[in-house]
Amino acid sequence: MAEGSRKTEREVKMLGDALKDMPVYMRIFSRTLRSLYVQHAVGTNDEPAREFRKLRDKTRDDAMVYHQYILPVSTKFVSSIREYFEYYDALNYEEWCEMLPDILQETKGYKELCNTVLQMHEDLLEPLKKRNDEALLLVTKFEDLEVEYEKKKRELEERAKKNQDWAIFLAFVPYIGEMAALLLSVLADLHMEKAVAEGQQAKIQEAVSVAVSKALIPAVNKFIDGIETAAAFFSAIEHQLMSFENKASNADDDPKRGHYMVMKTKAKDMKSTCQSFYAVLPAVRTNFEAIPTEGTDQNYVDECLEKLKKTIREKCRVPGLAGKMLRDMKTRLSFKPVV
């Protein structure tokens, strides 16, 4: 295999690996947010509980922005990757060569789409980091946090042996880490409700007060890593396709043919990976929809929407892309990827 083909194969593999991880992080993000609102989770009126609810509600406002505006565009981002590999799955080599100028233009659009979605997530991360600072200050007001987590860790290790909870499995998934899986389990609805029933309000506050720093922010960061990988993929493919323009394809080891063959071979697997991403979306949407909207700071949400629109207009230079993304945002939950 020529070096160009090997490079393409590596880039496709990196993209595939990133896409496999992204729905896991999205589910951690949405599940943790939902868990902050388990009924009566923090019902006391002492100062730490009031501070926690204030922090939680500000984080909820960020969640509403994500749910209503960023999630539909993120879904379209994955749908676009699936559509891109359709070129290689559906077309034979001669047809693909004829469409190469159009495919190159599409590649530029997908690169801009990735960079725009990336900026939207980075903008979301900014207020979350602010919540993180507030959460860390709040944690100092609670006692026995480390002792309780060590206890929970031992319990989870025992339960892992019996495979009783899918969340426990996450502890063994590369790159997620034990803490994310631990928090996901601690914050899961049934565990929270049981803790409430046992009168463990203080312990719940301890767990949820660090959720922003130990689950939400790491999950968003990992999702951003995946988007960056996709953006790098389309940038590399763009340069490859530009080098193929106006070049004949005579030899069997021609770089253009090698590129096409690698992409065609990987196309079905990539489309399947994208389909796996879609499979978690109902659960993600359910988690967001379970968060109560009463008390949402609509002014904050509207301000974020205007900022997101500005980002789209500034980042998207390919004709028609900005308008298409803005329409995707308007469709919100009505958006359904073509499968």
Side-chain angles (χ1 to χ4, degrees), residues 172-242:
F172 306 99
V173 178
Y175 309 117
I176 296 179
E178 294 183 5
M179 182 57 73
L182 173 60
L183 280 168
L184 191 60
S185 298
V186 172
L187 297 174
D189 294 352
L190 292 178
H191 300 300
M192 295 282 273
E193 290 170 358
K194 181 179 179 182
V196 172
E198 295 173 354
Q200 298 296 318
Q201 290 282 354
K203 300 307 178 184
I204 295 169
Q205 291 170 192
E206 291 176 358
V208 295
S209 65
V210 296
V212 175
S213 60
K214 298 299 184 181
L216 295 183
I217 288 180
V220 174
N221 272 322
K222 289 295 185 181
F223 199 85
I224 285 175
D225 289 344
I227 301 171
E228 288 178 335
T229 298
F233 168 81
F234 282 114
S235 180
I237 296 300
E238 177 189 1
H239 284 98
Q240 286 187 36
L241 297 186
M242 289 176 64

Side-chain angles (χ1 to χ4, degrees), residues 303-318:
E303 289 173 3
C304 289
L305 172 59
E306 292 307 312
K307 185 176 182 180
L308 291 171
K309 288 180 177 179
K310 182 179 178 182
T311 295
I312 290 174
R313 295 188 181 105
E314 290 178 348
K315 287 284 185 179
C316 299
R317 300 298 180 186
V318 170

Side-chain angles (χ1 to χ4, degrees), residues 239-255:
H239 284 98
Q240 286 187 36
L241 297 186
M242 289 176 64
S243 71
F244 297 155
E245 284 191 307
N246 302 320
K247 286 187 177 180
S249 305
N250 298 321
D252 292 337
D253 60 349
D254 177 73

Side-chain angles (χ1 to χ4, degrees), residues 30 32 51 57 60 65 89 92 99 111 123 135 162 187 200 212 236 254 262 265 307 312 314 334 339:
S30 64
T32 305
E51 289 185 28
D57 290 345
R60 184 264 312 279
V65 173
D89 191 33
N92 62 38
M99 290 192 64
K111 183 183 69 173
D123 289 344
K162 300 179 181 179
L187 297 174
Q200 298 296 318
V212 175
D254 177 73
V262 169
T265 300
K307 185 176 182 180
I312 290 174
E314 290 178 348
S334 65
V339 296

Side-chain angles (χ1 to χ4, degrees), residues 61-258:
D61 294 338
D62 295 322
M64 292 301 102
V65 173
Y66 193 90
H67 180 214
Q68 294 180 13
Y69 304 118
I70 302 180
L71 181 59
V73 177
S74 300
T75 305
K76 182 60 179 177
F77 151 73
V78 176
S79 178
S80 296
I81 294 176
R82 185 183 189 278
E83 292 168 3
Y84 187 75
F85 277 89
E86 277 285 358
Y87 283 120
Y88 296 89
D89 191 33
L91 302 178
N92 62 38
Y93 180 62
E94 288 72 21
E95 292 170 333
W96 178 81
C97 287
E98 291 179 4
M99 290 192 64
L100 189 55
D102 293 333
I103 295 173
L104 176 57
Q105 188 66 18
E106 289 283 332
T107 305
K108 294 177 180 178
Y110 292 147
K111 183 183 69 173
E112 284 195 0
L113 173 62
C114 291
N115 288 329
T116 306
V117 175
L118 175 62
Q119 185 64 57
M120 295 169 78
H121 281 79
E122 289 177 342
D123 289 344
L124 174 72
L125 197 58
E126 183 177 343
L128 283 179
K129 286 181 177 178
K130 182 180 179 181
R131 315 287 181 249
N132 175 42
D133 295 339
E134 296 174 8
L136 293 177
L137 289 174
L138 186 57
V139 167
T140 63
K141 299 183 179 182
F142 298 123
E143 297 179 354
D144 302 324
L145 179 63
E146 292 186 6
V147 173
E148 181 65 16
Y149 272 161
E150 285 302 317
K151 176 183 175 182
K152 291 293 183 181
K153 183 178 179 180
R154 289 194 295 271
E155 291 176 358
L156 292 175
E157 287 173 344
E158 293 175 2
R159 291 174 56 199
K161 297 176 183 178
K162 300 179 181 179
N163 297 318
Q164 292 180 344
D165 194 320
W166 75 268
I168 306 304
F169 174 75
L170 291 181
F172 306 99
V173 178
Y175 309 117
I176 296 179
E178 294 183 5
M179 182 57 73
L182 173 60
L183 280 168
L184 191 60
S185 298
V186 172
L187 297 174
D189 294 352
L190 292 178
H191 300 300
M192 295 282 273
E193 290 170 358
K194 181 179 179 182
V196 172
E198 295 173 354
Q200 298 296 318
Q201 290 282 354
K203 300 307 178 184
I204 295 169
Q205 291 170 192
E206 291 176 358
V208 295
S209 65
V210 296
V212 175
S213 60
K214 298 299 184 181
L216 295 183
I217 288 180
V220 174
N221 272 322
K222 289 295 185 181
F223 199 85
I224 285 175
D225 289 344
I227 301 171
E228 288 178 335
T229 298
F233 168 81
F234 282 114
S235 180
I237 296 300
E238 177 189 1
H239 284 98
Q240 286 187 36
L241 297 186
M242 289 176 64
S243 71
F244 297 155
E245 284 191 307
N246 302 320
K247 286 187 177 180
S249 305
N250 298 321
D252 292 337
D253 60 349
D254 177 73
K256 184 192 295 188
R257 183 180 291 274

Side-chain angles (χ1 to χ4, degrees), residues 15-17 19-20 23 78 268-278:
L15 177 62
D17 291 343
L19 287 174
K20 289 175 183 176
V78 176
K268 284 186 170 58
D269 287 342
M270 290 299 299
K271 289 165 59 180
S272 177
T273 299
C274 292
Q275 190 64 39
S276 297
F277 184 98
Y278 302 147

